[in-house]
Amino acid sequence: MKPPVARNRRNTVVGVVLTAIMLFPVYWMVNVSLTPQSRMRKDPPDLLPLHPTFSGYRAVLDDQLPYLGTSLLIGLGTVAVTLVLSAPAGYAMAKLHPRGAGAVGLLLLIAQMIPGIVMAMGFYGVFLELGVMNTWWGLVVADSTIAVPFGVMIFAAFMSGIPDELISAAKIDGAGVWRTFRSVVLPVSRNAIVTVSLFSFLWAWSDFVFATTLDGGGTMKPITLGIYKYIGNNNQEWNAIMATAVVASVPATVLLVLAQRYVAAGVTAGAVKD
């Protein structure tokens, strides 16, 4: 049997190697974003940006800032709609036990299984009929249909672990259902709020299916369509594409790093019962 120190070193080496393999696409994205277009088809490709250029990042500043602003608007709007709808619904399912709560939970699971392209085609028919194609708030509504069911399940799982004595004490003090939810339940549900907000924002930020299906040819396009604009049969500006991808990854990366502690607690809420 190997000593613990040798086994730990082996596990560390294996972990570092696997991490490097998984992060290599990220490194390659940064490498290509700094590679001049003239050296893009070099064989073999440069493993290091030996002749770096920032032309791709200049293209991002010149062309992509409006798309980044639109994605930010859509992401924040999706977070707001998701929290407003899913937090009260999760509280009702966890603590108020309304009639048919089990059926609602099953419907939420089914909603998570519906392919996005199916929902996108349904939204396309409705939006076309209403004349609201290519509106940022239309994409907020579409993206929220994915985020809200997930948010309800996370909030219900988290809030089911809140002691009933805490809610009973609020009722004894004269607080109604809404006051109890707003003043007692929400403040202790920080982990669930951060988790739902983060995933809602990331889904909206990275959405391509809804964005390209509901695009009516206007100017309010998210960053995913901004990247897609660079790709064509005779025009593949890979350094600009990768530079845009790098810039678009920064908000998601920062949010994940800052919120990882809360996300771990929020996702596992309700998994273990005392």
Side-chain angles (χ1 to χ4, degrees):
M1 184 175 180
K2 293 184 178 181
V5 174
R7 186 167 60 250
N8 290 338
R9 289 177 178 174
R10 182 198 62 187
N11 294 339
T12 300
V13 171
V14 172
V16 169
V17 171
L18 293 177
T19 301
I21 292 174
M22 289 186 290
L23 292 180
F24 181 77
V26 178
Y27 164 75
W28 195 250
M29 178 176 68
V30 177
N31 181 32
V32 173
S33 71
L34 297 172
T35 302
Q37 193 70 25
S38 59
R39 300 181 62 87
M40 203 65 65
R41 298 184 181 276
K42 183 177 177 294
D43 188 22
D46 296 328
L47 292 178
L48 294 172
L50 301 177
H51 303 84
T53 178
F54 293 94
S55 61
Y57 291 93
R58 284 195 294 270
V60 173
L61 296 177
D62 293 338
D63 301 334
Q64 300 292 339
L65 287 182
Y67 302 123
L68 287 169
T70 301
S71 285
L72 182 62
L73 183 62
I74 294 171
L76 295 178
T78 301
V79 170
V81 172
T82 301
L83 291 179
V84 168
L85 295 179
S86 62
Y91 172 66
M93 293 183 63
K95 293 301 182 182
L96 302 183
H97 307 294
R99 183 175 300 177
V104 173
L106 179 61
L107 290 176
L108 292 175
L109 288 175
I110 295 175
Q112 294 287 88
M113 301 176 188
I114 299 176
I117 188 61
V118 175
M119 300 176 65
M121 296 308 297
F123 276 118
Y124 178 82
V126 174
F127 282 22
L128 190 64
E129 185 71 21
L130 297 177
V132 293
M133 296 286 289
N134 197 60
T135 56
W136 67 268
W137 56 267
L139 286 178
V140 168
V141 172
D143 291 329
S144 297
T145 58
I146 296 178
V148 168
F150 171 82
V152 173
M153 290 188 292
I154 291 295
F155 275 118
F158 187 92
M159 292 176 179
S160 63
I162 297 176
D164 292 334
E165 293 79 6
L166 191 63
I167 297 175
S168 299
K171 292 181 180 179
I172 292 175
D173 290 338
V177 174
W178 175 247
R179 179 66 183 273
T180 302
F181 167 72
R182 181 167 52 88
S183 301
V184 177
V185 175
L186 278 185
V188 300
S189 302
R190 179 185 59 182
N191 293 339
I193 293 173
V194 173
T195 301
V196 173
S197 299
L198 178 64
F199 280 95
S200 301
F201 182 85
L202 293 181
W203 278 327
W205 184 265
S206 62
D207 169 60
F208 179 76
V209 174
F210 286 146
T212 189
T213 304
L214 303 178
D215 175 34
T219 58
M220 295 289 288
K221 300 177 186 292
I223 189 60
T224 49
L225 292 187
I227 296 175
Y228 186 65
K229 185 186 74 169
Y230 282 136
I231 303 175
N233 293 330
N234 301 313
N235 182 27
Q236 295 181 346
E237 303 177 30
W238 287 111
N239 59 342
I241 292 172
M242 293 304 177
T244 306
V246 170
V247 174
S249 301
V250 170
T253 303
V254 172
L255 288 175
L256 284 171
V257 170
L258 294 178
Q260 59 180 340
R261 177 163 58 94
Y262 304 105
V263 171
V267 170
T268 58
V272 179
K273 297 290 185 181
D274 294 332

